[in-house]
Structures are given as structure tokens and as C-alpha cells.
Amino acid sequence: MHEDGTTWTKVVKWFGYKLHLVVDSTYELPVAWEVTKASVSDVTRAMPMLDHLHHRHGGAAVPCRLF
């Protein structure tokens, strides 16, 4: 608590950028990428990136639906 009786607050700020990558597991080369604000979650971008890759390259990119 502060001296005036108010409780502490936690301030979380994100700054910068984040690079989201889809990488070929055999050759370890990036096959899709997206740059977003640092606060954007990887979870929200994974399926849209895989769907886009699947539509763009057909059978060469098969998204995993196990999760």
C-alpha cells in the first residue's frame, strides 16, 4: 500500500515489434512471416498465417488441427 492508503497497481506496457514466423521443419527456412506490434499474441496470429499459407500453396502447406 502507498502512504495515502491506495493499493499498488501493476502497469504492463509493451513496446516495439514482434516477428511471427512459420518455418519449414525439414529445411528450417521461413515460409511465412508477419510483423505486428509487440503486444499481439502469437496464439491469435498462428492459425490465420497457416490458413493463408495453405490457400496460397495448396497441399504443400498442411495446417495442424490438433490444437
Side-chain angles (χ1 to χ4, degrees):
M1 278 195 173
H2 292 282
E3 293 178 6
D4 64 357
T6 59
T7 59
W8 291 95
T9 58
K10 183 176 181 179
V11 177
V12 177
K13 292 185 179 183
W14 302 98
F15 59 93
Y17 302 96
K18 183 184 282 187
L19 177 62
H20 306 271
L21 286 173
V22 177
V23 179
D24 180 277
S25 62
T26 303
Y27 299 105
E28 298 179 358
L29 296 172
V31 292
W33 58 274
E34 183 176 334
V35 178
T36 62
K37 298 186 306 185
S39 61
V40 175
S41 171
D42 293 323
V43 174
T44 62
R45 297 308 317 144
M47 288 311 295
M49 288 177 65
L50 289 173
D51 287 339
H52 176 74
L53 187 64
H54 179 68
H55 292 299
R56 187 173 172 195
H57 295 288
V62 180
C64 177
R65 300 286 182 192
L66 297 176
F67 298 104

